[in-house]
Amino acid sequence: MSELALKHKLNFVDSELEILKKNNLYRKMKYGISKGSKITINNKQLINLSSNDYLGIPTTKIQINQLQSSSRLISGNDDSYKKMEEVLAKHKSQESSLIYPTGYMANLGAISTIVKKGDLILSDELNHASIIESCKLSDAKVSIYKHNDMEDLNKKMKEKGKNKFVITEGIFSMDGDLSSLKQITEIAEKSKAITIVDDAHGDFVIGKDGKGTPEYFKIAKQIDLYISSLSKGLGSFGGYIASQRNVVDLCINKSKSFIYTSALPSFLIEYSLKRFQSNREKQKKILEKNTKQLTKGLKEIGYEINSHSQIIPIIIGNEKKAMEFGKFLFDNGVHAQPIRYPTVPKNKARLRVSVTAWLSNADIEKALSIFEKGHLKFYD
């Protein structure tokens, strides 16, 4: 087959790309270097308001030993894993924990392993894409309840299922609001449903000793399975689950995204441990101060802010307008990425501002002055 014929076979790809461009949904990679509160893109230094390194724990020097070996069940199970997993299990007051290469893989692996055909999943409508994909993989019936709507959850809980699971994020990644976890656990308890919380954006950030959203609501013991990330608040890399020992054991034996992939290099596990053992409380207080300062400033400018966390969405609505606003911020020295469909619903495009402890008072004040100019340009 000629090269021309091969190219012709893939012409449909161009059509799909054109549709994305027409609807202002086309994405293009930007290459940059992040350091502290700044990111440099195309030789332009900007204040970074798109980082998930919330606590901004100062970089710890680590010795790089073996980079890669194999999957953990073959020869990649370094001793560092055992140490870190014991720490994480204790951190979540659970019997055991298991580290995955990413938080996405932790969701895919755990949910698709313990949830079966004939079961019922009740999933918040704003749950992360990794949760949505995990629910599909499980072959269970999936019932989506309205965001944080306990009346709707109660109603849908009456649907039939051999085992029932309620799945929610702790802090929602695109809206920054907290899940109604206290009410969810009460509803789940009445129906003997299993509660699963993806606390990627709350872990290490809120609650006593950064134990996360459930601890913040004082219902940590009511959560049956935790899924979280080492690459958000902790600023390292990887994902993990924490639960009863038998749940973790089942995942070790049947979780495809755990079994059929290479282990993380041991130095990343050691890096995570060092960051966990750092003065996280100090960084947590700086993050809280920065979040209050930026939130207060944005409200005073005139933005409608409903978030109560370090994730602050500025809802624009129209995708094209969101892209124009993002470019305006970039041109003026702020990196705050526009978020569009399918990450968020159509016509609910937004600037996702994320606060970190890296930000100085000067960074925040400069960013607010630029957002004030943006409000005059795009709102008034």
Side-chain angles (χ1 to χ4, degrees):
M1 187 177 288
S2 69
E3 185 179 343
L4 185 62
L6 283 171
K7 287 182 178 179
H8 178 71
K9 286 171 68 178
L10 291 170
N11 278 353
F12 71 91
V13 174
D14 291 329
S15 300
E16 288 194 31
L17 289 171
E18 284 304 314
I19 291 170
L20 290 174
K21 291 174 182 177
K22 183 180 178 181
N23 291 294
N24 298 295
L25 299 175
Y26 181 72
R27 290 160 170 80
K28 190 175 181 180
M29 298 278 279
K30 290 180 181 177
Y31 294 92
I33 299 173
S34 296
K35 187 175 182 181
S37 66
K38 305 297 194 299
I39 183 169
T40 302
I41 301 173
N42 297 333
N43 296 318
K44 182 180 179 68
Q45 190 180 76
L46 307 104
I47 298 169
N48 191 357
L49 296 183
S50 287
S51 172
N52 285 339
D53 183 8
Y54 301 129
L55 291 181
I57 299 168
T59 303
T60 310
K61 288 186 178 180
I62 52 173
Q63 184 178 348
I64 298 178
N65 296 315
Q66 183 170 302
L67 285 172
Q68 191 47 262
S69 173
S70 180
S71 70
R72 289 186 62 187
L73 287 173
I74 304 298
S75 63
N77 205 32
D78 188 272
D79 282 346
S80 58
Y81 275 97
K82 183 180 179 182
K83 295 175 187 175
M84 190 65 196
E85 284 169 345
E86 287 174 352
V87 164
L88 291 171
K90 186 177 179 181
H91 172 65
K92 288 300 185 189
S93 301
Q94 294 289 322
E95 291 180 346
S96 189
S97 78
L98 186 67
I99 294 172
Y100 284 75
T102 67
Y104 199 117
M105 293 173 78
N107 265 325
L108 289 179
I111 295 171
S112 66
T113 295
I114 70 166
V115 185
K116 305 295 181 186
K117 188 173 183 179
D119 291 339
L120 172 67
I121 293 175
L122 299 124
S123 178
D124 189 289
E125 68 175 327
L126 295 188
N127 275 340
H128 189 265
S130 60
I131 297 175
I132 295 168
E133 293 303 312
S134 304
C135 292
K136 290 177 182 177
L137 280 175
S138 72
D139 283 333
K141 178 183 177 183
V142 181
S143 187
I144 309 297
Y145 65 90
K146 295 174 186 174
H147 178 54
N148 263 343
D149 189 326
M150 297 302 99
E151 186 178 339
D152 196 38
L153 175 59
N154 248 321
K155 179 183 173 183
K156 289 182 165 60
M157 186 66 80
K158 295 173 184 176
E159 297 175 26
K160 291 183 179 180
K162 184 179 179 181
N163 295 304
K164 296 182 180 181
F165 298 82
V166 184
I167 305 178
T168 181
E169 291 186 61
I171 293 178
F172 288 89
S173 60
M174 289 300 128
D175 285 69
D177 57 336
L178 277 64
S179 174
S180 302
L181 279 179
K182 187 168 175 36
Q183 297 95 314
I184 287 172
T185 53
E186 289 169 356
I187 293 168
E189 186 69 26
K190 289 176 185 176
S191 301
K192 296 182 179 178
I194 296 159
T195 54
I196 300 176
V197 176
D198 177 345
D199 206 26
H201 296 274
D203 205 5
F204 311 108
V205 171
I206 67 170
K208 184 180 178 182
D209 195 32
K211 289 180 181 290
T213 315
E215 199 287 325
Y216 175 83
F217 286 113
K218 308 303 177 190
I219 48 89
K221 291 182 180 178
Q222 273 77 15
I223 306 305
D224 298 299
L225 171 60
Y226 286 93
I227 302 172
S228 191
S229 171
L230 302 173
S231 62
K232 306 290 190 302
L234 213 56
S236 183
F237 198 82
Y240 75 95
I241 65 168
S243 187
Q244 293 180 184
R245 196 172 307 281
N246 61 350
V247 172
V248 171
D249 199 24
L250 185 65
C251 287
I252 290 170
N253 282 274
K254 298 195 74 173
S255 174
K256 291 181 180 179
S257 62
F258 173 79
I259 297 169
Y260 301 110
T261 192
S262 295
L264 283 174
S266 60
F267 76 87
L268 287 176
I269 307 301
E270 291 165 11
Y271 188 64
S272 295
L273 184 59
K274 285 182 182 292
R275 291 201 144 205
F276 182 88
Q277 294 170 336
S278 68
N279 190 351
R280 291 183 288 112
E281 194 59 31
K282 176 186 174 184
Q283 298 303 112
K284 189 165 166 279
K285 287 177 180 176
I286 296 171
L287 175 62
E288 288 168 0
K289 177 188 75 68
N290 287 352
T291 299
K292 286 178 183 176
Q293 184 181 351
L294 191 54
T295 300
K296 183 173 180 286
L298 289 170
K299 285 181 177 179
E300 288 175 352
I301 290 168
Y303 291 100
E304 185 178 341
I305 306 296
N306 297 311
S307 167
H308 293 91
S309 74
Q310 74 281 1
I311 299 168
I312 308 172
I314 297 175
I315 309 298
I316 307 297
N318 179 270
E319 284 79 12
K320 184 178 180 182
K321 185 178 177 182
M323 292 299 292
E324 290 171 351
F325 205 148
K327 185 179 184 302
F328 168 82
L329 292 174
F330 183 92
D331 291 343
N332 285 273
V334 169
H335 183 59
Q337 279 289 79
I339 305 294
R340 297 158 289 156
Y341 177 84
T343 309
V344 295
K346 286 182 180 177
N347 297 315
K348 286 196 176 180
R350 65 201 61 190
L351 298 170
R352 182 187 183 274
V353 174
S354 57
V355 189
T356 71
W358 286 114
L359 298 167
S360 66
N361 183 67
D363 289 329
I364 294 171
E365 290 304 318
K366 181 181 177 182
L368 286 171
S369 70
I370 295 166
F371 273 106
E372 187 169 16
K373 293 175 185 175
H375 195 276
L376 289 170
K377 181 178 177 66
F378 290 94
Y379 284 83
D380 296 344

